Amino acid sequence: MLKTWYFVLLCWLSLQLEANPGLKVRITQKGLDYGRRIGMELVKQAVLKETFPSWSGQESLSVVKVNYVISRLRINAVDFPETSASFIPGTGICLSVARASATISADWRMNAWLLKGKGEITVSISGLFISIIFNVSRDSTGHLSTLLHNCQLSIGSVKVKLSGRSSWIYSFLSGYLEKPIHTKLDKNLCLNIKYKIQMMDAQLKKHKVLSQIDTFAQVDYSLLSSPAVFKSHINLDLKGTVYPVGNHTDPPFMPAPFALPNQGDSMIYLGVSNYFLKSASLAYYRAGAFNITISEELATTFSLNTSLLKYFVSETSLSQAAACPVLLNLMATLPPAVSLNADRCVLQITGSVEVFAALPNSTTQYIFTGNLTASTTANLTITKQKLIISLLLKRFQFSLLHSNLGFPEQKSVVENFLSYALRRVVIPVINDKLGKGFPLLNLAHTSLTGPAIKMNQGHLVISTDVHYQPVDREDEDLHSHS
Ligand SMILES: *[C@@H]1O[C@H](CO)[C@@H](O)[C@H](O)[C@H]1NC(C)=O
Ligand SMILES: *[C@@H]1O[C@H](CO)[C@@H](O)[C@H](O)[C@H]1NC(C)=O
Ligand SMILES: *[C@@H]1O[C@H](CO)[C@@H](O)[C@H](O)[C@H]1NC(C)=O
Ligand SMILES: *[C@@H]1O[C@H](CO)[C@@H](O)[C@H](O)[C@H]1NC(C)=O
Ligand SMILES: *[C@@H]1O[C@H](CO)[C@@H](O)[C@H](O)[C@H]1NC(C)=O
Ligand SMILES: *[C@@H]1O[C@H](CO)[C@@H](O)[C@H](O)[C@H]1NC(C)=O
Ligand SMILES: *[C@@H]1O[C@H](CO)[C@@H](O)[C@H](O)[C@H]1NC(C)=O
């Protein structure tokens, strides 16, 4: 019995693992190099702001015991002339820094036999080499997780200079401080890095895997499996399902496998599957985004009025009134069908439409009802880290189901009216609803540069570089926009 359950569990687990991703992200060596450059700059800034606890110690100088306290330790300058980052296949990422140097100053107090003194200490460290490897994996909740795997350190030299109301003895003693500082660095630097990576991991765990798109939909960016690390890139497989807000029932279809192109000239490649777009269409449908009501206000704004229907309604009471606004209720009756082809993305909306006139005495008059299928092509653009879809009406089919006015001879008038209404009013209203766009990257202060979209059968690939803007620059940007 237990064995059977174990088997079932294994099958279930392997099924879970075999799920195809809806979105794929690839970071190339070029992306890693950019990340390293930005990363080292940030590390430099962080190190310069770092505060350290004071410490005390004892050294014996032949028979004399010297007690000392080092306090107010601060790093004045750091230099990382040689850094590199590389992918370690199957494991993670290696970062190394060679020939690094730092100047540290601190206050010292010393107490040796009959001598007492205090002053400032300057420590110059040079020829520092650090190489760290950290593992990247997926945690149980689908977050990216990082773990220090290996840290190697070697320190070229440590030079200590004491100043203060000093006499020769202190300069002499400074030589004795070099060894404990060396030891302390040796012991603590890797520990410190390990701690920093743990903090980064905790930060990653706090990152929301579910991202709100707008009032209709959310997208699940959780990792499906641990990142696959290759020599030239790292691949992340993300769930990439779009849900209506508040209901995370998976759609009744599965992602199909697809592959990213073998290119490395952009920093990031992002694969968007047909599944992602289909789940988005379903989510927006379920959330009612394709139920469109053209109110009197909208009809007036867009000059959607009975003058467009004048032949159609010529024998009715409407003809006596001046042009009245035409109200429209469009209800999608199926989730819009999305298909991605090599050269375009097509979205077909199937639904019914009800048409009314808003009479001057504030009542509405029903005009007609029909079934509608509108074929649109989706224009995909990327603006501010977001994939924005806007629809363009290609053609539509209409069949009149019911009319208060009797079926008109002039079917083309109705079609002309609908064509106008769809192009000028309904599609812009849908585009406005979709206009918030799908967030592609969730990195603070980072923008995409030169993104390009390539459509393929069943998926599309976005290739892009990224640009990091330090905080103050972004503040400026915000001000110039407001
Ligand atoms: C890091 O990954 C390597 C290779 O997969 C593995 O052998 C090692 O145990 C991992 N290290 C940690 C700390 O998980
Ligand atoms: C979520 O959506 C599914 C599919 O449309 C539906 O069957 C289910 O009842 C919904 N759940 C909630 C809590 O609304
Ligand atoms: C869309 O409109 C139809 C008709 O009014 C309604 O039955 C359906 O529930 C609506 N869908 C949503 C998701 O609001
Ligand atoms: C009715 O629509 C026509 C054509 O769109 C427009 O020229 C006219 O100004 C509109 N009339 C009113 C009263 O909105
Ligand atoms: C509003 O006007 C229409 C046409 O002029 C008329 O048939 C209808 O009875 C009026 N309704 C009310 C409540 O006055
Ligand atoms: C109109 O659409 C409804 C719902 O999709 C469908 O049941 C009906 O058969 C359609 N009628 C015609 C005449 O196409
Ligand atoms: C697609 O959208 C962009 C930006 O809104 C626009 O410049 C371009 O003309 C559109 N393309 C088509 C075919 O409508």
Side-chain angles (χ1 to χ4, degrees):
M1 188 62 195
L2 200 63
K3 229 173 162 176
T4 317
W5 274 112
Y6 188 61
F7 180 71
V8 168
L9 189 70
L10 268 181
C11 284
W12 182 75
L13 275 177
S14 57
L15 276 181
Q16 291 287 304
L17 291 175
E18 275 165 19
N20 288 315
L23 292 172
K24 283 180 180 240
V25 181
R26 169 172 302 171
I27 300 168
T28 62
Q29 182 67 45
K30 184 182 178 192
L32 185 63
D33 283 335
Y34 185 73
R36 164 186 54 88
R37 258 174 40 217
I38 300 300
M40 291 322 294
E41 208 39 59
L42 293 178
V43 165
K44 221 181 227 177
Q45 285 169 19
V47 158
L48 293 176
K49 278 189 215 143
E50 188 100 20
T51 55
F52 302 86
S54 24
W55 92 83
S56 55
Q58 191 178 62
E59 284 290 313
S60 346
L61 180 62
S62 62
V63 291
V64 184
K65 292 246 182 294
V66 180
N67 293 304
Y68 62 88
V69 180
I70 306 283
S71 60
R72 280 207 333 115
L73 201 85
R74 57 218 173 260
I75 299 181
N76 299 331
V78 276
D79 188 24
F80 304 123
E82 272 179 44
T83 61
S84 72
S86 55
F87 294 111
I88 309 289
T91 303
I93 291 168
C94 174
L95 285 175
S96 65
V97 177
R99 296 201 304 119
S101 58
T103 321
I104 302 168
S105 59
D107 294 348
W108 63 268
R109 257 182 300 129
M110 213 178 272
N111 194 344
W113 193 40
L114 288 174
L115 295 167
K116 267 194 173 86
K118 61 177 183 179
E120 201 173 68
I121 180 172
T122 308
V123 183
S124 308
I125 302 161
S126 60
L128 188 70
F129 170 85
I130 310 173
S131 169
I132 62 170
I133 295 177
F134 58 91
N135 285 13
V136 290
S137 58
R138 170 197 187 272
D139 75 0
S140 59
T141 55
H143 288 87
L144 186 66
S145 177
T146 56
L147 201 67
L148 183 67
H149 173 51
N150 187 15
C151 178
Q152 281 179 355
L153 175 73
S154 75
I155 300 164
S157 78
V158 175
K159 291 261 173 293
V160 176
K161 256 167 87 182
L162 294 186
S163 62
R165 279 188 299 117
S166 64
S167 62
W168 63 272
I169 182 97
Y170 300 133
S171 328
F172 175 70
L173 277 173
S174 66
Y176 282 85
L177 276 171
E178 278 161 17
K179 195 178 63 147
I181 288 173
H182 203 294
T183 312
K184 197 138 190 106
L185 279 172
D186 246 348
K187 226 172 75 189
N188 288 349
L189 214 51
C190 278
L191 268 179
N192 206 356
I193 288 169
K194 183 174 181 180
Y195 174 68
K196 287 282 145 64
I197 288 178
Q198 278 167 356
M199 295 227 304
M200 182 165 92
D201 189 48
Q203 212 58 42
L204 283 170
K205 280 197 170 35
K206 277 197 223 144
H207 215 81
K208 281 205 179 83
V209 291
L210 205 62
S211 174
Q212 188 84 20
I213 301 171
D214 50 31
T215 53
F216 301 106
Q218 292 170 318
V219 54
D220 186 340
Y221 286 124
S222 59
L223 278 173
L224 279 184
S225 53
S226 279
V229 188
F230 300 94
K231 208 169 156 32
S232 61
H233 61 268
I234 183 168
N235 277 353
L236 284 80
D237 284 355
L238 310 182
K239 181 142 198 234
T241 307
V242 183
Y243 297 104
V245 170
N247 185 333
H248 298 154
T249 310
D250 275 329
F253 42 82
M254 303 287 268
F258 71 98
L260 290 174
N262 269 327
Q263 290 171 327
D265 29 347
S266 289
M267 294 179 190
I268 295 178
Y269 290 85
L270 182 71
V272 179
S273 66
N274 201 30
Y275 168 85
F276 174 86
L277 297 174
K278 243 175 117 179
S279 74
S281 161
L282 182 63
Y284 279 87
Y285 168 73
R286 282 183 179 161
F290 294 103
N291 270 5
I292 312 281
T293 303
I294 303 300
S295 63
E296 188 167 342
E297 196 190 347
L298 271 174
T300 310
T301 312
F302 287 102
S303 295
L304 192 65
N305 62 43
T306 50
S307 78
L308 292 159
L309 281 166
K310 72 175 181 291
Y311 300 111
F312 180 51
V313 298
S314 61
E315 284 138 49
T316 75
S317 54
L318 287 175
S319 61
Q320 280 108 53
C324 313
V326 175
L327 313 185
L328 225 127
N329 280 332
L330 193 107
M331 289 146 290
T333 48
L334 287 172
V338 195
S339 61
L340 266 176
N341 301 311
D343 57 345
R344 67 209 159 113
C345 173
V346 175
L347 191 83
Q348 187 159 303
I349 306 170
T350 304
S352 66
V353 61
E354 278 181 309
V355 179
F356 301 88
L359 301 181
N361 64 7
S362 322
T363 60
T364 56
Q365 183 174 339
Y366 169 75
I367 309 178
F368 66 86
T369 314
N371 277 0
L372 183 73
T373 303
S375 281
T376 63
T377 54
N379 183 5
L380 308 176
T381 48
I382 295 171
T383 312
K384 297 204 165 190
Q385 306 199 43
K386 289 186 169 160
L387 177 66
I388 295 174
I389 299 179
S390 69
L391 304 179
L392 214 70
L393 183 69
K394 281 297 168 195
R395 57 179 186 279
F396 71 93
Q397 287 175 313
F398 177 74
S399 57
L400 193 71
L401 289 182
H402 181 258
S403 164
N404 208 19
L405 308 158
F407 191 81
E409 287 307 299
Q410 308 97 320
K411 185 169 179 254
S412 64
V413 173
V414 177
E415 285 182 348
N416 283 345
F417 165 76
L418 280 172
S419 172
Y420 180 88
L422 288 174
R423 270 178 229 282
R424 301 293 295 273
V425 190
V426 176
I427 300 289
V429 167
I430 294 179
N431 286 343
D432 192 49
K433 290 192 187 190
L434 296 175
K436 281 236 163 85
F438 298 96
L440 293 175
L441 255 195
N442 217 348
L443 296 175
H445 317 309
T446 304
S447 58
L448 305 183
T449 54
I453 302 177
K454 167 103 178 62
M455 285 202 216
N456 299 297
Q457 189 74 41
H459 71 277
L460 57 93
V461 177
I462 298 168
S463 50
T464 185
D465 284 349
V466 296
H467 179 69
Y468 177 84
Q469 287 170 307
V471 186
D472 48 332
R473 277 274 306 278
E474 200 190 56
D475 279 350
E476 264 173 41
D477 281 357
L478 282 180
H479 288 307
S480 64
H481 283 299
S482 53

